[in-house]
Amino acid sequence: MLHHSRPSNLLVYGKTGTGKTAVTRYVVNKLQRTFIQQNLRPYFAYCNARLCGTEYRTIAEIAASLGLTVPFTGLAVSEVLSRVLSYINHANANVLFVLDEIDYLVKNYSDDLLYHLTTSVDKIQSGTLSLIGISNDLQFKEDLGARVISRLSEEELVFPPYSAEELRTILEQRAELAFIPGSCTQAAINLCAALSGSEHGDARRAVDLLRVAGEAAERDNAPQVLEKHVRAALQHIDQDRITEALRTLPFHAKILLLAIINCTSTEKSMTGTVYQEYARLCNTCSIDALTTRRTSSLLSELDTLGLISTSIVNYGRYGRTKKISTQVQPQMVTEAFTGDTLITQLLHH
Ligand SMILES: Nc1ncnc2c1ncn2[C@@H]1O[C@H](COP(=O)(O)OP(=O)(O)OP(=O)(O)O)[C@@H](O)[C@H]1O
Ligand SMILES: [Mg+2]
């Protein structure tokens, strides 16, 4: 860009919290400063497709970053696009457009806008337009048509999960900003980094863990954040995650989970028994039970959420059956379900 030529389009992807947004914005800001130092006018735009919401808002965002005023609604997407292209042509501008959470656009609309943006190169005589697309959906490339993918991913950059060591440096920097000097121990930071590095490598969750640990220390009136506060924070975060998962379960999945809990206490937690218990509970609150086929897909949903675990038990020539057990405290379940009136009635039963 500094040599007035067109940089390749770039597709950035990787799992959530691996620094895609932070790093891209950091690099683009640096580039922008260099432009200004050299008395060049920078044409950079950043837009988060999910926050923009529509194709129209997305293209309007590019227009706005060039200083073009477009109405909030009322124009066709193609009209705004052609205004953008003609501006680039006239101003002989080198434009770099970062489109974050680009998968949102493709899933909710189509890849048409991306197609037009990436093929615009051929329509601009002077000036250039390059795109950086960012996505945390590793499957997303499959949703893109071949015509778009080959143009958008002229270059690709994959962000791997952070290692414990990398997380440690990120956390040290944050701790310096966030805590009174000396109030956060190196041991606490190291533990946060080690736990997060081995589980997910997500910097956002690592920073969250350190924050919650700080809050735990504060509640304790402790002068320093220690390893025990990190452990307490981890448990707290895990519990919140489970409670949230329980609270938002579909109605029948809730009943099914209650049935599993009832069966586990009697040591007879085979698929058949669980289904009978589920049907009995449905009957108690006068609702129709789902078929066994439907409940078995609910079972795998509960399994994926980590609320239950299933194992296959072999009985030799008597066949095989699935043994089901809960992974959560019954008390947590009943607490999480109390907001649901029908379920509460069932619990009273
Ligand atoms: N290299 C880094 N140095 C400092 N902070 C970082 C770094 N990488 C990530 N972070 C911080 O971690 C958090 C998550 O990073 P970021 O938002 O860039 O993730 P992402 O890959 O864009 O995730 P998502 O796919 O969910 O959008 C942010 O608060 C960010 O500031
Ligand atoms: Mg991001």
Side-chain angles (χ1 to χ4, degrees), residues 15-22 46 48 50 100-101 134-136 204:
K15 287 192 181 152
T16 186
T18 51
K20 300 179 297 297
T21 303
Y46 170 89
N48 181 310
R50 189 172 49 80
D100 206 346
E101 310 207 27
I134 305 179
S135 171
N136 61 18
R204 190 178 293 120

Side-chain angles (χ1 to χ4, degrees), residues 11-15 20 135-136 138 141 156-159:
L11 183 62
V12 174
Y13 59 103
K15 287 192 181 152
K20 300 179 297 297
S135 171
N136 61 18
L138 308 181
K141 269 175 80 174
E156 278 188 13
L157 202 53
V158 180
F159 277 54

Side-chain angles (χ1 to χ4, degrees), residues 21-162:
T21 303
V23 169
T24 308
R25 298 198 76 149
Y26 179 81
V27 171
V28 168
N29 279 338
K30 242 180 145 166
L31 193 56
Q32 190 156 11
R33 276 203 299 278
T34 313
F35 264 71
I36 293 168
Q37 274 163 13
Q38 304 197 1
N39 286 322
L40 296 166
R41 179 162 172 203
Y43 291 101
F44 297 110
Y46 170 89
C47 161
N48 181 310
R50 189 172 49 80
L51 299 180
C52 274
T54 64
E55 273 184 321
Y56 184 82
R57 288 307 315 157
T58 307
I59 183 76
E61 195 81 12
I62 309 187
S65 71
L66 300 176
L68 296 171
T69 39
V70 287
F72 200 73
T73 58
L75 296 179
V77 170
S78 58
E79 168 60 25
V80 184
L81 185 67
S82 81
R83 287 188 192 184
V84 166
L85 297 184
S86 93
Y87 178 89
I88 295 175
N89 247 326
H90 280 112
N92 189 18
N94 294 104
V95 180
L96 178 66
F97 187 48
V98 181
L99 198 50
D100 206 346
E101 310 207 27
I102 193 173
D103 45 296
Y104 178 88
L105 210 58
V106 178
K107 271 179 218 142
N108 290 279
Y109 295 90
S110 66
D111 57 11
D112 280 354
L113 181 61
L114 289 180
Y115 175 70
H116 291 304
L117 283 172
T118 49
T119 51
S120 63
V121 186
D122 315 334
K123 290 176 215 139
I124 303 173
Q125 283 91 42
S126 61
T128 61
L129 172 64
S130 308
L131 289 179
I132 298 181
I134 305 179
S135 171
N136 61 18
D137 180 353
L138 308 181
Q139 283 291 306
F140 143 84
K141 269 175 80 174
E142 333 242 304
D143 298 340
L144 284 177
R147 53 178 198 164
V148 176
I149 194 68
S150 66
R151 286 170 182 270
L152 184 62
S153 63
E154 287 170 336
E155 291 196 39
E156 278 188 13
L157 202 53
V158 180
F159 277 54
Y162 282 117

